[in-house]
Amino acid sequence: MTNTIPSPAGNDGFLVAALYHFVSVRRFAELRAPLQALCEEQGVRGTLLLAHEGINGTIAGPADGVRTVLSFLRRQPEFAALEHKESRASEMPFLRMKVRLKKEIVTMGVEDIDPNRSVGTYVAPKDWNALISDPDTIVIDTRNDYETAIGIFKGAVDPNTKTFREFPEWVRRNTGLHNKPKIAMYCTGGIRCEKATAFMKAEGFEEVYHLKGGILKYLEEVPPEESLWEGACFVFDERVSVLHGLEEGEHKLCRACRHPLTAEEIASPLYEAGVSCPHCHAERSEEDRARFRQRQKQIDLAKKRGERHLGK
């Protein structure tokens, strides 16, 4: 299936808004249809997740369209205090608009973990360096291994998880986390580390902190010369990664395994666009690669017609 992508909205490209809000929403299912319709009407694309515990997602489109959607959300009593983070994309970073109903807006899979009831202490980006430089602090990256592979805070512990569902078990296995009084956690936009702090509190950790607004807010506000961030930040859209000032990074995505790739990895003989990369080549059969080559052929043909192939 193909879909024509409109030209960037002016010299500034498309506005990207990342948002989440933990709040009790009994009528979350009722919001799906009007929210989907409004986004489509405004030329906005991305993914929004609705659940009893709140909302989570990222959307992009013309600035006026994105702000119309945000205004609609804030007119709902549950989302009146909704905050969001803005960045820009030179091309539309999403293929379609999806508003989905979920059991959790970020899936941890642990019953009775409610950030609306108990959560860690927010730390503003300007205060983050001091906290994570404190020798009494253990810094934990709550993201997954393909995200941490391209960037991480200096001195942070990487759990090497494949999914957020693995995080609770990793914490329970690592009893050494109790050796220091402070736990500081971070993630891309703040949602995973916020839910992780609720879990840590339930596990008996007392001094638990998390980066307000996540890595994205830190990269937006903290000057590069003062930064303790090393590398790029993976984002869940076609930009793949962002740098300080939320400028678009240079990583590309392997369309076979969805792993972000550096220029060196793209130059590898194991890389073939849409087919394989150094991270997944050994895991794929020749039948897999033949199938992926056929898909990539359709993508290339759609591109020549000025369209975007939705199987990309």
Side-chain angles (χ1 to χ4, degrees):
M1 181 178 180
T2 58
N3 192 23
T4 302
I5 301 296
S7 299
N11 295 331
D12 291 333
F14 294 94
L15 180 63
V16 182
L19 59 98
Y20 80 91
H21 189 54
F22 282 110
V23 63
S24 178
V25 189
R26 293 186 178 181
R27 62 188 186 103
F28 69 93
E30 300 173 18
L31 295 173
R32 193 199 68 79
L35 186 53
Q36 177 79 38
L38 178 62
C39 288
E40 292 176 356
E41 175 188 298
Q42 295 295 321
V44 170
R45 297 180 184 177
T47 300
L48 291 172
L49 307 180
L50 294 167
H52 67 90
E53 66 179 9
I55 187 171
N56 175 32
T58 304
I59 55 175
D64 288 346
V66 171
R67 292 187 173 120
T68 295
V69 173
L70 293 173
S71 294
F72 168 81
L73 287 171
R74 292 189 176 111
R75 287 198 301 272
Q76 313 309 311
E78 299 93 339
F79 303 137
L82 177 70
E83 297 181 4
H84 75 280
K85 294 171 288 295
E86 293 187 359
S87 57
R88 291 279 176 173
S90 57
E91 298 181 0
M92 169 56 85
F94 297 106
L95 302 180
R96 51 175 81 80
M97 185 66 223
K98 297 173 285 187
V99 181
R100 293 177 169 172
L101 304 181
K102 292 286 187 175
K103 185 177 180 181
E104 300 176 77
I105 57 173
V106 57
T107 303
M108 176 179 274
V110 179
E111 295 293 332
D112 299 324
I113 297 300
D114 184 2
N116 293 305
R117 187 172 62 242
S118 176
V119 74
T121 302
Y122 280 122
V123 179
K126 65 181 179 64
D127 301 320
W128 183 248
N129 286 357
L131 174 64
I132 68 173
S133 299
D134 185 338
D136 286 334
T137 301
I138 295 177
V139 187
I140 303 173
D141 194 316
T142 64
R143 301 172 304 152
N144 298 320
D145 56 2
Y146 60 91
E147 300 169 81
T148 59
I150 65 170
I152 195 168
F153 273 108
K154 184 177 181 179
V157 177
D158 180 2
N160 289 304
T161 53
K162 298 292 183 186
T163 71
F164 192 45
R165 281 182 174 272
E166 297 177 7
F167 183 77
E169 182 57 32
W170 177 84
V171 170
R172 289 165 177 160
R173 286 199 315 268
N174 286 271
T175 56
L177 296 176
H178 289 274
N179 292 344
K180 293 185 178 182
K182 300 177 183 178
I183 297 289
M185 297 188 289
Y186 67 90
C187 60
T188 308
I191 184 170
R192 276 178 286 182
C193 53
E194 182 163 342
K195 195 160 192 176
T197 64
F199 171 76
M200 298 295 272
K201 299 279 280 187
E203 290 293 301
F205 293 87
E206 296 181 0
E207 285 196 73
V208 185
Y209 304 86
H210 52 123
L211 177 58
K212 185 173 177 60
I215 303 163
L216 295 179
K217 202 64 176 175
Y218 183 92
L219 294 179
E220 177 185 346
E221 296 185 357
V222 176
E225 61 271 17
E226 299 176 12
S227 177
L228 294 180
W229 175 259
E230 299 175 335
C233 177
F234 180 87
V235 289
F236 294 88
D237 58 56
E238 292 296 311
R239 294 173 297 171
V240 185
S241 67
V242 296
L243 306 169
H244 272 282
L246 300 183
E247 295 181 3
E248 294 183 39
E250 297 181 353
H251 290 83
K252 303 298 182 184
L253 206 62
C254 173
R255 302 296 170 179
C257 69
R258 312 297 293 178
H259 199 287
L261 304 175
T262 64
E264 291 77 13
E265 289 169 331
I266 291 172
S268 166
L270 299 180
Y271 174 75
E272 183 180 347
V275 178
S276 67
C277 76
H279 298 279
C280 67
H281 186 274
E283 301 172 0
R284 305 297 185 185
S285 66
E286 283 304 319
E287 289 78 8
D288 290 334
R289 284 190 274 273
R291 187 172 70 256
F292 293 160
R293 286 189 188 100
Q294 185 59 36
R295 180 185 63 183
Q296 187 61 36
K297 181 180 179 180
Q298 296 303 315
I299 291 171
D300 293 340
L301 288 172
K303 187 175 182 179
K304 288 181 180 179
R305 295 193 298 268
E307 300 171 335
R308 183 79 63 88
H309 191 278
L310 293 186
K312 186 175 180 181

